[in-house]
Amino acid sequence: MGCKLMGANSDTIQRFVSELEKVGATAKFLRTRTEVVRYLSDFVMKKGANLVLTCGLEHELSFELSKVINSMGISCFDIDVVDKRNLRKLLEAAYIGITDADLAVAETGSLIIISENDAKRLISCLPPIHVAILSKENILDNFLEVSEWLRKAQSTGRYTVSIITGPSRTADIELEIVIGVHGPHELHVIILEGMSDEK
Amino acid sequence: MKSRNIIAEVSEALKNKNQIENLKIAMLYMRDKKNAAMAEYNEKELLELKSIRQASLNSLDENIKLLKDRLERNGCSFYFAKTAKDACEYVVSLARVKGVKRIVKAKSITTEEIELNKRLASEGFEVIETDLGEWLVQLADHKPSHLTAPAIHFSRYEIVKLIEDRLGVRLPADPKEITKFVRAFLREKFITADMGITGGNIVVAETGSLVLVTNEGNGRLVTALPRIHVAIVGVEKIVRTWEDAVKILDVLPKSATGQKMATYITILNSGSETPLPNNEFVKREFHLVLLDNGRLNALQDKILSDALKCIRCSACFNVCPTYRVLGGHVFGYIYNGPIGIPWTYISHGLENAAGYASLCISCGLCRETCPLSIDIPTIASEIKRRYGESNGYRWVDKRLAGYESLVKLASSVAPALNFLASTSVMRWALEKFLGIDRRVNLPKFSKKTLPELLDSVLVQHIESDRKVAYFADSMAYYVDVDVGLATINVLLKNRFEIVMPPQKGSGMPSFLYGLLDGTKKVAEYNVKYMHEYVSKGYDVVSAEPTAIYCFRFVYPKLLETKEAQEVAERSYELFGYLLRMLESGMLDLSFKRYNGVKAVYHLPCHSKHLSKEKPVLKFLEILGMEIEFVDYGCCGMGGTWGMKRGYEGYEISKVIAEPLVTAISNSGADLIVTECSLCRMQIERFSGKKIVHPVILLDKAYKGLPIP
């Protein structure tokens, strides 16, 4: 987004993880593309997924991930490369959506994702499980810092912004908190530490 | 429109013991969660928020132009709806032209305001609410009873029964199972809908952006799946910049549900491309309907415009004593709860607002908890006044508004009256002719008024740079003269020079019933005499929190004079005043300690506005006592409101008092302490126990005497 971030220090990252856990999400630190592929292929197997969709991931990661998951007999597609006519059916049927996250806020445990079309937005709201991949440099300390970024994101009229803090929830029945209403039941965040160094 | 029989509605609601109990637990829980989440905010930050909202309203015309320009540049449709009818027509004709069949909605109280669902259904469209609470309310053909928890009036058992009755599906009475069912049931509706309708929490003019806050994720699906999205947003929701919007977003979830951040915030300013069920990939139409429906008129209204700052957090519902026992169907019209009083006036007119405003007891807890400090009690009083001026005041309200003159009159015949007041014939007469419920404890009038007593009590006039103008208020003046004497003793002990300027009772009773001319006259009188001393360096001090509440918050608003403002800035509740002295090391600490004495303390509503620190509690601690703090909010007396006969006051007041009285009765404390004379009457009436003003204790401590 052309917004220079200073890179988060370890306090910020710790705070983000702790807030994330408070809202019922999980965090996992990984270093290399190989680690991410291994972790996610185990994950989708464990969850018993039959259809996994990805979007916004680095090209090599997306390619390898699809290859490995498909080889396990589980369907996995990058929605940027599938035929647009199949998108709606795939999105309705997917069990896990894997996306990148553009930004995060430590103070509130929030992820911020921009999308230039709604297939990219639906991948984090229709499937029961959402996994977001975040680079550790992109964590801001405080929520009030996001204003400049939001202005830029909204300046062209081409992007929708989603700020996501934990899995979908309600307290509409006797104020009892229930996780997983219309959005995902589970939110998992992979925090990447220096994958850009890996060639 | 049929006019309401509010007394019948109240008596019906008070029979619903289950709802009263559930609502009590829910509201106390939400109140405490909100307070915990908001603790990090200081007064300065909240003032900034207030000025953001004010500035947005001040530049509304410009912001509307900017918003329209940005949206149209992005290829969206912008429509300014002057009335509810205009807004409904726009949506109906759009849906018709576009061949819409099924419409899904995400929580929007604004579409409730314009009764859009009814209109769409009558045109043959299928309309489905998708927020879990809203969906339940729609299924039951009810109205939402709470701004952020619309189905709070249902228990889980009622919900499973409702689903079984309407859909023939039997579910276990478990919120998880119910939610699971509703997810699957509504998923089908989402994916087959042609149009999504939402409200909006904020609209940001500089980029033309709609900001939508939800927890369930329905807001995302409603704006991402159907081929058309219509957002209907009140014109007051516009802010200029993203800096403004983010500050509101930071506070909104904390104040609404006690969450640091809501689960989902969706921000959009154009219709993006979406995959449709027919496999097409098309750009969604985005229509923003900006709704006036009375808001722009309200903006010109000096008293009412305050309500336009509202960010719809619902914190005021959670502290309102009347709402807590009656719920949002009785304490409301379409908008409900405390903030619903002005909002009903703005969009549904005076009569509908006045219809339930009479149930507001002016405790002011709504104002105190509001992150924007919207002065809901003053607006409610003004609505009572406007209605009273055009339709006549309620008979009983007019009687009780004159309570202070009554007290004065009664005091002149004190001994005879005290005797008569204990007879049942007299109580019957008071109820019949003055509207005072016969079960209320009546004050025991002193034989001599406080100033009369002061002539016979040695008052030391000392040369001191500590100067206090003492304001007694009616009760300490005529009834609880011992409180007045103790206050004077405590101040003298701390080397204050004390004067007692001419004064009238605070005027709260007439404020409560909307007879604002009466309050204004009293305000003029009190400000005139107090100002004489304030201008000479005196501070105004009273041991009656309501009196200082009037000096600080009511008089300046009614009088709008420099004098009223200067007096307001120098007015202090006694214990807040003494606490300041203590903190600056100036308080005389040579008093007896009562180690081991157990006291239970109730914090009066008006004290809450005067200090965040609970000064009385601190003094009880310093006196060595073991303290239990019972925190059930308002005692239900509301000045004289709880004295009103039957279902107009007393019966509601009694139910409000129940949790407080039970906690006090169960506490096993040696002393029950509170600093408000009317809370005292109320708690004494229902607990049958004696309540003591903290200044009586402090006075005894200075004299080294044992406590009663």
Side-chain angles (χ1 to χ4, degrees):
Chain A
M1 289 307 304
C3 205
K4 282 265 185 294
L5 292 169
M6 296 301 289
N9 63 37
S10 64
D11 285 352
T12 305
I13 298 170
Q14 274 319 307
R15 191 173 178 206
F16 174 64
V17 170
S18 128
E19 290 303 322
L20 207 57
E21 286 167 355
K22 276 188 213 159
V23 293
T26 71
K28 177 81 188 167
F29 289 92
L30 295 173
R31 287 188 175 279
T32 64
R33 189 186 310 138
T34 320
E35 273 183 30
V36 174
V37 171
R38 191 186 306 134
Y39 174 78
L40 280 175
S41 49
D42 280 356
F43 179 83
V44 300
M45 181 67 99
K46 236 177 15 214
K47 294 289 172 186
N50 50 359
L51 176 60
V52 178
L53 298 180
T54 71
C55 108
L57 306 187
E58 190 203 8
H59 182 72
E60 289 85 352
L61 175 61
S62 161
F63 181 77
E64 276 180 42
L65 194 61
S66 293
K67 202 174 72 184
V68 173
I69 293 178
N70 279 318
S71 75
M72 304 187 307
I74 299 166
S75 302
C76 179
F77 303 103
D78 182 335
I79 64 166
D80 282 323
V81 299
V82 299
D83 186 339
K84 282 198 163 57
R85 283 173 300 183
N86 298 329
L87 266 180
R88 181 65 181 250
K89 280 191 190 71
L90 287 172
L91 284 164
E92 285 174 24
Y95 191 69
I96 298 177
I98 302 172
T99 72
D100 68 332
D102 296 275
L103 204 63
V105 181
E107 182 193 15
T108 54
S110 307
L111 296 170
I112 308 185
I113 303 176
I114 56 167
S115 13
E116 75 263 21
N117 67 51
D118 282 335
K120 297 193 173 184
R121 194 146 63 105
L122 288 166
I123 191 176
S124 64
C125 35
L126 282 173
I129 298 174
H130 175 207
V131 180
I133 302 179
L134 170 76
S135 170
K136 78 163 187 189
E137 286 77 29
N138 295 342
I139 306 175
L140 297 173
D141 278 311
N142 294 307
F143 187 74
L144 294 181
E145 294 170 52
V146 305
S147 52
E148 180 63 30
W149 195 91
L150 290 175
R151 176 167 31 246
K152 284 200 175 120
Q154 286 280 285
S155 63
T156 60
R158 286 176 45 219
Y159 301 100
T160 301
V161 180
S162 308
I163 306 180
I164 299 175
T165 310
S168 138
R169 66 163 60 208
T170 185
D172 273 353
I173 302 172
E174 294 183 7
L175 297 182
E176 187 172 310
I177 291 170
V178 177
I179 299 295
V181 197
H182 300 301
H185 303 90
E186 293 180 25
L187 173 65
H188 303 276
V189 182
I190 293 175
I191 301 168
L192 286 181
E193 301 177 288
M195 191 165 72
S196 52
D197 298 335
E198 185 193 22
K199 285 285 171 232
Chain B
M1 194 218 52
K2 217 172 71 190
S3 101
R4 297 170 66 171
N5 182 348
I6 207 88
I7 293 175
E9 288 182 39
V10 166
S11 73
E12 201 51 41
L14 290 182
K15 284 181 201 147
N16 194 344
K17 298 286 177 215
N18 279 338
Q19 182 181 306
I20 291 170
E21 181 61 18
N22 292 343
L23 213 47
K24 178 191 85 186
I25 295 168
M27 292 303 102
L28 290 172
Y29 174 77
M30 286 180 79
R31 175 195 74 176
D32 292 347
K33 262 186 91 175
K34 181 261 181 187
N35 288 343
M38 288 294 289
E40 65 180 73
Y41 272 89
N42 60 39
E43 227 154 289
K44 198 174 137 251
E45 288 165 313
L46 291 177
L47 272 175
E48 197 193 343
L49 192 69
K50 204 170 167 170
S51 72
I52 287 172
R53 290 298 295 131
Q54 188 60 57
S56 307
L57 293 170
N58 291 346
S59 51
L60 201 53
D61 288 345
E62 261 169 78
N63 288 343
I64 294 173
K65 277 197 204 92
L66 188 58
L67 172 67
K68 180 173 188 290
D69 174 66
R70 291 290 183 273
L71 280 170
E72 287 176 350
R73 207 169 66 184
N74 291 349
C76 309
S77 303
F78 173 90
Y79 176 68
F80 184 87
K82 184 75 197 140
T83 63
K85 192 163 163 280
D86 291 349
C88 288
E89 281 314 312
Y90 182 87
V91 180
V92 165
S93 65
L94 179 70
R96 219 184 269 143
V97 168
K98 301 289 175 184
V100 167
K101 289 190 180 69
R102 178 172 275 175
I103 300 170
V104 283
K105 289 179 68 203
K107 185 151 63 175
S108 160
I109 187 73
T110 311
T111 65
E112 295 284 344
E113 171 191 324
I114 61 174
E115 299 185 81
L116 178 64
N117 288 9
K118 212 160 70 183
R119 180 85 175 84
L120 285 169
S122 75
E123 297 289 331
F125 299 103
E126 185 191 2
V127 189
I128 303 137
E129 295 290 346
T130 63
D131 170 85
L132 176 57
E134 295 267 358
W135 179 78
L136 289 167
V137 165
Q138 189 188 29
L139 195 65
D141 202 19
H142 282 185
K143 285 179 183 141
S145 68
H146 188 281
L147 204 51
T148 57
I152 195 75
H153 58 289
F154 290 127
S155 70
R156 62 185 71 197
Y157 305 101
E158 290 166 317
I159 290 170
V160 290
K161 181 158 187 317
L162 173 70
I163 292 175
E164 190 178 349
D165 288 351
R166 301 290 158 105
L167 303 174
V169 177
R170 189 175 289 185
L171 297 169
D174 172 2
K176 280 193 192 64
E177 292 299 322
I178 300 168
T179 304
K180 205 168 138 191
F181 166 76
V182 177
R183 175 185 167 103
F185 183 86
L186 286 179
R187 182 55 69 94
E188 170 62 21
K189 312 283 181 196
F190 277 120
I191 62 181
T192 51
D194 314 290
M195 180 186 265
I197 297 179
T198 69
N201 294 81
I202 304 171
V203 178
V204 188
E206 67 170 335
T207 54
S209 306
L210 174 77
V211 182
L212 198 61
V213 182
T214 63
N215 276 315
E216 296 181 1
N218 57 326
R220 301 188 77 202
L221 294 179
V222 166
T223 59
L225 283 168
R227 60 189 157 93
I228 304 165
H229 171 206
V230 184
I232 302 171
V233 188
V235 68
E236 84 287 359
K237 297 274 179 68
I238 308 178
V239 299
R240 180 77 169 199
T241 66
W242 273 105
E243 278 72 19
D244 296 348
V246 165
K247 279 180 187 142
I248 294 170
L249 282 174
D250 192 52
V251 82
L252 178 61
K254 295 180 182 72
S255 191
T257 51
Q259 289 169 281
K260 234 180 210 173
M261 190 45 60
T263 310
Y264 300 113
I265 300 174
T266 297
I267 298 164
L268 53 89
N269 59 1
S270 65
S272 48
E273 285 177 311
T274 192
L276 293 179
N278 64 3
N279 299 335
E280 281 180 52
F281 197 70
V282 298
K283 198 167 157 66
R284 174 182 314 97
E285 285 185 29
F286 174 48
H287 299 254
L288 185 86
V289 177
L290 202 61
L291 181 70
D292 173 3
N293 203 29
R295 290 161 173 82
L296 296 182
N297 277 339
L299 194 58
Q300 306 305 320
D301 186 318
K302 221 171 49 191
I303 305 255
L304 224 58
S305 59
D306 205 19
L308 294 171
K309 295 193 195 100
C310 177
I311 57 170
R312 302 289 210 272
C313 73
S314 83
C316 57
F317 286 60
N318 309 339
V319 295
C320 175
T322 315
Y323 177 84
R324 195 175 77 192
V325 302
L326 297 178
H329 294 144
V330 178
F331 195 64
Y333 177 63
I334 290 176
Y335 281 115
N336 40 31
I339 193 64
I341 296 173
W343 274 98
T344 301
Y345 184 88
I346 292 168
S347 48
H348 302 116
L350 177 59
E351 187 163 350
N352 289 320
Y356 85 95
S358 61
L359 299 172
C360 161
I361 75 177
S362 290
C363 68
L365 289 179
C366 48
R367 180 188 180 284
E368 198 265 337
T369 199
C370 175
L372 281 311
S373 304
I374 297 171
D375 194 352
I376 303 172
T378 297
I379 302 175
S381 281
E382 175 65 12
I383 287 172
K384 291 172 193 173
R385 187 191 72 79
R386 288 182 195 179
Y387 189 75
E389 290 302 317
S390 55
N391 300 277
Y393 289 94
R394 294 159 82 92
W395 178 87
V396 60
D397 290 357
K398 248 165 46 187
R399 294 297 166 282
L400 280 168
Y403 177 75
E404 288 172 324
S405 344
L406 267 177
V407 168
K408 189 175 169 188
L409 177 74
S411 151
S412 62
V413 291
L417 190 83
N418 286 340
F419 167 71
L420 281 172
S422 60
T423 66
S424 57
V425 176
M426 181 67 168
R427 294 313 306 256
W428 172 84
L430 284 175
E431 185 169 293
K432 178 90 178 147
F433 300 116
L434 297 176
I436 297 176
D437 198 287
R438 67 184 78 183
R439 292 162 292 183
V440 165
N441 278 9
L442 284 183
K444 284 250 182 300
F445 291 94
S446 170
K447 281 182 195 157
K448 286 186 169 177
T449 65
L450 182 64
E452 284 164 1
L453 278 171
L454 286 177
D455 282 342
S456 55
V457 173
L458 182 64
V459 180
Q460 288 172 291
H461 287 288
I462 44 176
E463 277 302 313
S464 168
D465 53 356
R466 301 175 179 180
K467 296 172 196 292
V468 158
Y470 172 58
F471 186 84
D473 211 354
S474 302
M475 291 297 276
Y477 202 98
Y478 297 112
V479 181
D480 305 325
V481 288
D482 54 338
V483 170
L485 294 174
T487 306
I488 289 167
N489 284 341
V490 166
L491 289 169
L492 281 176
K493 179 78 186 166
N494 284 287
R495 306 192 52 74
F496 276 95
E497 188 187 305
I498 307 161
V499 293
M500 199 171 156
Q503 51 192 268
K504 290 185 171 166
S506 65
M508 198 55 181
S510 36
F511 177 86
L512 170 61
Y513 300 115
L515 287 104
L516 293 179
D517 289 345
T519 314
K520 200 169 165 183
K521 271 190 204 127
V522 169
E524 272 161 9
Y525 187 95
N526 285 339
V527 164
K528 181 180 157 210
Y529 285 104
M530 290 298 157
H531 189 264
E532 210 173 281
Y533 286 96
V534 164
S535 64
K536 287 184 227 154
Y538 285 74
D539 292 327
V540 178
V541 172
S542 178
E544 188 75 84
T546 298
I548 299 303
Y549 178 87
C550 286
F551 274 108
R552 287 242 195 114
F553 304 117
V554 179
Y555 296 172
K557 214 161 212 167
L558 290 178
L559 300 180
E560 298 180 288
T561 60
K562 191 171 107 305
E563 286 76 16
Q565 195 51 48
E566 284 169 5
V567 172
E569 281 160 19
R570 297 282 292 277
S571 297
Y572 301 93
E573 182 277 324
L574 176 67
F575 279 86
Y577 195 62
L578 294 177
L579 185 64
R580 280 180 18 149
M581 290 192 60
L582 176 77
E583 282 164 354
S584 56
M586 278 153 50
L587 191 81
D588 185 335
L589 291 172
S590 62
F591 45 70
K592 183 176 158 71
R593 306 297 197 271
Y594 301 98
N595 295 323
V597 171
K598 275 171 74 179
V600 58
Y601 173 61
H602 162 70
L603 175 66
C605 301
H606 288 159
S607 290
K608 252 190 172 157
H609 293 69
L610 301 171
S611 167
K612 299 256 174 251
E613 296 172 280
K614 306 186 188 77
V616 170
L617 211 57
K618 294 220 164 124
F619 271 88
L620 295 177
E621 269 167 32
I622 299 164
L623 286 171
M625 295 180 186
E626 201 180 298
I627 308 140
E628 185 188 340
F629 174 44
V630 285
D631 193 11
Y632 287 96
C634 180
C635 73
M637 182 55 123
T640 59
W641 189 84
M643 298 182 194
K644 278 205 279 186
R645 61 187 180 188
Y647 289 103
E648 290 171 82
Y650 182 86
E651 295 290 348
I652 308 172
S653 169
K654 186 175 126 191
V655 180
I656 295 171
E658 259 163 25
L660 174 65
V661 168
T662 307
I664 283 176
S665 302
N666 292 344
S667 77
D670 309 306
L671 287 171
I672 309 169
V673 182
T674 196
E675 68 266 36
C676 165
S677 59
L678 289 153
C679 294
R680 210 180 80 186
M681 277 174 73
Q682 174 86 338
I683 301 168
E684 286 186 346
R685 164 73 183 86
F686 291 114
S687 69
K689 291 187 171 150
K690 180 118 187 71
I691 318 295
V692 56
H693 191 295
V695 76
I696 302 278
L697 300 176
L698 189 57
D699 183 33
K700 289 217 185 306
Y702 273 127
K703 291 172 179 158
L705 297 172
I707 45 172

